[in-house]
Amino acid sequence: MTKVKLRIEVIAIGDCKNYNYGEEIDVKILHINSYYSSSSFYKNLYDNQIENGLDIDVFVPISSSVILNNSDLGKYTTVSVNHGKYDRILFFLKHNKIYKDIIRRFKIGEYSVIHAHSLFSNGYIAYKLKQEYGVPYIVAVRNTDVNVFFKYMVHLRKLGIQILQEADKVIFLSKSYRDFVIQKYVPEKFKKEIFNKAEIIPNGIDDFWFNNKGNIRNTPDKNNLKLLYVGAINKNKNIIITIKAIKILQNEGYNINFTVVGKVEDKSIFNQIKNLSFITYITPKPKEELINIYRANDIFIMPSKTETFGLVYAEAMSQGIPVIYTKGQGFDGQFEEGIVGYSVQHDSAEEIVERVKAILDDYKTISNNCINKVDKFDWDEIAKGYYSIYEDAL
């Protein structure tokens, strides 16, 4: 087990073993992350923690119906098929199976902190482990927690509040998500308690984007304006409302090409856009090709109905591209309005039109801000934030 000094000087970057503050104690982190099998960006965090001296294990409970797309999840990772595809219908049946599996596979009492990567699914396991073994836990609140569990599973809301109360720290990806959850779902008598232990830590993007930052861009001509979307083609991503905004701009004299990059998940949406003369559709591309697509466009637009965070906003920023994102969702609140772009109501084509114009009015400044401020999403910076949170939990 690695000895790590927990009193961390957060302004420094380096091996935790070299810090000069605090008592040296054994630290071991157990991550519970049922999303890791399909969201490989977490590996950036885990690898960073290993490199900086933390002793970690990652537990990934999956259904028998899940097909692993990525086998390189790190030697620290245990992927366990411990429930069936129909178990998800009964929350407690599914999670009791997961709980029995985790205590069979790990010596829970050896861990200093448990890091649950979602509130309901992973957080419930951490909550039960704390009750049984007394290990403190931190818990992250995800899009699924807000827009599925809290919204539709009313019978589980009380449990969600209990998990928040018992957590030593609660992680939100943005201030907007924090404020929405606390105001809408947390009872008045618990609001201050939850707010005081809430921390804002965004997701990070791959080092590739920092190693290949774009240059400050010139203000584009309205007669040759290139808009971009990167992501899945489905109802939630709301491409149709962007199309409506583009048609308004076209009627006002703008000449626009809209590039859409991503996997077709909803053919009905794709059929509505594929034959439009101003749309260029591109199948999903690796980052080495995607970077050239970012650089060939002027403004990134993704007014998703719901969005935990949206890594593509940060990727676009790294190339100096201003972004338009959804008001009240995961990226909103990362920066003040007008710094790297603007938020919009997801159902307002007119507001998208106004925000496109506002970006063009101050394009070079916003583009410069994007490049200078994207470091917020560097995993080194994010990992330092987690070190401090683990310290507080202990």
Side-chain angles (χ1 to χ4, degrees), residues 77-337:
T77 299
T78 299
V79 178
S80 180
V81 180
N82 49 33
H83 58 280
K85 65 178 180 178
Y86 297 113
D87 288 331
R88 65 191 297 269
I89 299 172
L90 298 174
F91 180 90
F92 292 103
L93 173 64
K94 170 186 171 180
H95 290 88
N96 284 336
K97 288 183 177 182
I98 295 173
Y99 180 77
K100 289 178 181 178
D101 186 38
I102 196 172
I103 62 175
R104 183 169 60 247
R105 291 178 176 274
F106 300 93
K107 295 180 180 179
I108 303 302
E110 293 184 351
Y111 293 94
S112 312
V113 177
I114 296 170
H115 185 158
H117 288 266
S118 70
L119 175 60
F120 284 89
S121 294
N122 302 161
Y124 176 65
I125 304 302
Y127 169 73
K128 289 194 67 175
L129 292 173
K130 183 176 182 178
Q131 288 182 316
E132 181 67 25
Y133 297 94
V135 181
Y137 69 88
I138 71 171
V139 64
V141 180
R142 292 174 54 93
N143 178 45
T144 303
D145 296 314
V146 179
N147 294 302
V148 176
F149 282 100
F150 268 131
K151 187 174 182 178
Y152 296 113
M153 299 186 183
V154 179
H155 62 291
L156 291 177
R157 285 183 186 174
K158 183 177 180 181
L159 175 62
I161 301 304
Q162 290 173 337
I163 297 169
L164 289 172
Q165 286 184 277
E166 283 298 315
D168 294 81
K169 288 288 184 177
V170 181
I171 311 300
F172 293 93
L173 294 176
S174 69
K175 292 179 181 178
S176 59
Y177 250 50
R178 178 199 63 190
D179 296 345
F180 177 78
V181 170
I182 292 176
Q183 290 302 318
K184 187 171 181 64
Y185 295 113
V186 176
E188 191 65 37
K189 59 183 177 181
F190 301 134
K191 288 186 190 298
K192 184 176 181 181
E193 172 192 352
I194 304 302
F195 183 89
N196 286 341
K197 60 183 174 183
E199 301 284 351
I200 310 299
I201 298 188
N203 286 331
I205 56 176
D206 194 274
D207 285 346
F208 172 84
W209 301 102
F210 297 105
N211 296 334
N212 296 279
K213 280 187 179 181
N215 298 315
I216 301 173
R217 305 158 66 89
N218 293 321
T219 302
D221 189 334
K222 64 178 288 186
N223 293 316
N224 186 27
L225 182 58
K226 299 174 182 178
L227 307 182
L228 174 66
Y229 165 82
V230 178
I233 299 173
N234 57 37
K235 290 181 180 178
N236 180 60
K237 296 300 184 179
N238 218 15
I239 296 174
I240 299 302
I241 204 73
T242 303
I243 299 295
K244 292 180 179 178
I246 290 172
K247 289 181 177 180
I248 294 173
L249 288 166
Q250 288 174 326
N251 289 334
E252 294 181 3
Y254 289 75
N255 183 26
I256 295 173
N257 183 74
F258 184 34
T259 299
V260 175
V261 183
K263 179 181 179 181
V264 178
E265 294 183 349
D266 188 323
K267 289 185 178 179
S268 67
I269 300 294
F270 183 65
N271 288 337
Q272 293 180 62
I273 70 172
K274 66 180 182 179
N275 294 322
L276 295 174
S277 60
F278 57 87
I279 285 187
T280 301
Y281 170 69
I282 301 174
T283 58
K285 299 297 180 184
K287 58 183 180 290
E288 293 81 5
E289 296 180 44
L290 186 58
I291 191 171
N292 293 321
I293 298 174
Y294 280 121
R295 290 175 175 176
N297 287 278
D298 302 315
I299 300 174
F300 182 89
I301 303 180
M302 189 171 75
S304 303
K305 295 177 182 177
T306 63
E307 191 79 61
T308 297
F309 178 68
L311 295 175
V312 285
Y313 298 121
E315 291 175 0
M317 282 177 57
S318 75
Q319 302 309 304
I321 301 176
V323 294
I324 292 177
Y325 45 92
T326 309
K327 192 182 299 294
Q329 292 300 310
F331 197 80
D332 187 21
Q334 300 292 339
F335 304 96
E336 293 182 8
E337 291 287 306

